[in-house]
Amino acid sequence: MAETKSISMLRLIFIPSVITLGITLLRLVGELQHWPTALFNPAAGGGGAIIGISWLPLIFGVYFALKLSEAGQGPENRGRAVRLSIVGMVLFIAGGFIAAAPQVNFPGKVIVGIVLAVLAIGLQYSGWPRLFYVLLAYGYAARIPVLIVMYIAMRGDWGTHYDVVPPGFSPETTFWPKFLQIAFLPQMFLWIAFTIITGMVTGSIAAAIKQRKNPTAQTAGA
């Protein structure tokens, strides 16, 4: 049986957070310098660009999960953690579709979407609380710098995906309501939830695979 040992959350997320910050700054420079759009897409949302941080939770979720497992801080039941993470992802995607899809139209659809998203996040916590907290801390470490960049870019009208408004957004909107809608709320809530859920899925699966390869490893409560 592996011995349970203390593992510092700040120490665990430090290197991933530095890597994430580096990619954020590289993305900003690439857009300002008009480097290839396949790598640095300056359009609203920046979707499809290869250089970005949205895919990092998939990798760091595995890293965090394996480190926690090695320290004896894995989930009480790895199979349950995997199931809950996948169900949570399905609920999160469904909530986003219901809230945002124009073809879905009924009173209170945004509230339904939010409820599904909150339920999805709650399932992640239930499956593996310790990994949940690590991903939460990493999520804010990753997204607070983005929020700062967005504030400066929006003030300076830099023409990057950090400040370009999405199609259909009213040009009459003043700075603070615009900042709240396209920067603060997405970065501090939506992307945090995305980070937790995607990291929990890949992390839980990685931990389950590791346990199957090493069935004598400790399964300690988080």
Side-chain angles (χ1 to χ4, degrees), residues 2-217:
E3 181 183 355
T4 301
K5 54 186 177 182
S6 175
I7 182 169
S8 168
M9 182 183 297
L10 291 178
R11 191 171 184 178
L12 185 59
I13 71 171
F14 178 74
I15 292 178
S17 299
V18 170
I19 292 172
T20 304
L21 176 59
I23 294 176
T24 296
L25 296 178
L26 176 62
R27 174 75 181 266
L28 176 61
V29 171
E31 293 186 27
L32 289 173
Q33 296 297 319
H34 306 292
W35 291 347
T37 56
L39 298 175
F40 307 92
N41 183 8
I50 296 175
I51 304 298
I53 66 172
S54 60
W55 53 273
L56 291 179
L58 296 168
I59 296 174
F60 290 138
V62 174
Y63 172 77
F64 295 144
L66 296 182
K67 287 293 185 181
L68 290 173
S69 295
E70 290 171 3
Q73 297 182 31
E76 294 182 356
N77 185 311
R78 283 174 168 79
R80 179 174 179 269
V82 171
R83 292 191 296 272
L84 290 178
S85 68
I86 293 174
V87 171
M89 173 168 278
V90 171
L91 290 176
F92 184 71
I93 293 172
F97 178 78
I98 291 173
Q103 58 266 43
V104 178
N105 188 15
F106 61 87
K109 72 169 192 169
V110 173
I111 295 176
V112 172
I114 293 173
V115 169
L116 289 177
V118 171
L119 179 59
I121 295 171
L123 290 177
Q124 311 309 311
Y125 176 84
S126 178
W128 192 344
R130 181 62 174 168
L131 180 57
F132 175 93
Y133 284 126
V134 170
L135 287 166
L136 177 66
Y138 165 72
Y140 280 110
R143 292 293 166 177
I144 287 176
V146 175
L147 185 65
I148 295 172
V149 168
M150 293 186 73
Y151 174 84
I152 299 172
M154 291 172 68
R155 282 296 193 188
D157 193 21
W158 287 355
T160 68
H161 92 279
Y162 294 106
D163 60 287
V164 174
V165 298
F169 198 89
S170 173
E172 305 301 323
T173 307
T174 58
F175 176 80
W176 285 110
K178 180 170 67 173
F179 179 77
L180 180 69
Q181 293 177 60
I182 72 172
F184 184 83
L185 291 177
Q187 295 300 325
M188 295 295 97
F189 296 97
L190 176 62
W191 282 110
I192 300 301
F194 176 86
T195 296
I196 292 172
I197 291 172
T198 54
M200 288 290 295
V201 169
T202 57
S204 297
I205 292 173
I209 293 173
K210 180 177 180 180
Q211 185 189 35
R212 291 194 65 178
K213 292 182 177 179
N214 184 16
T216 60

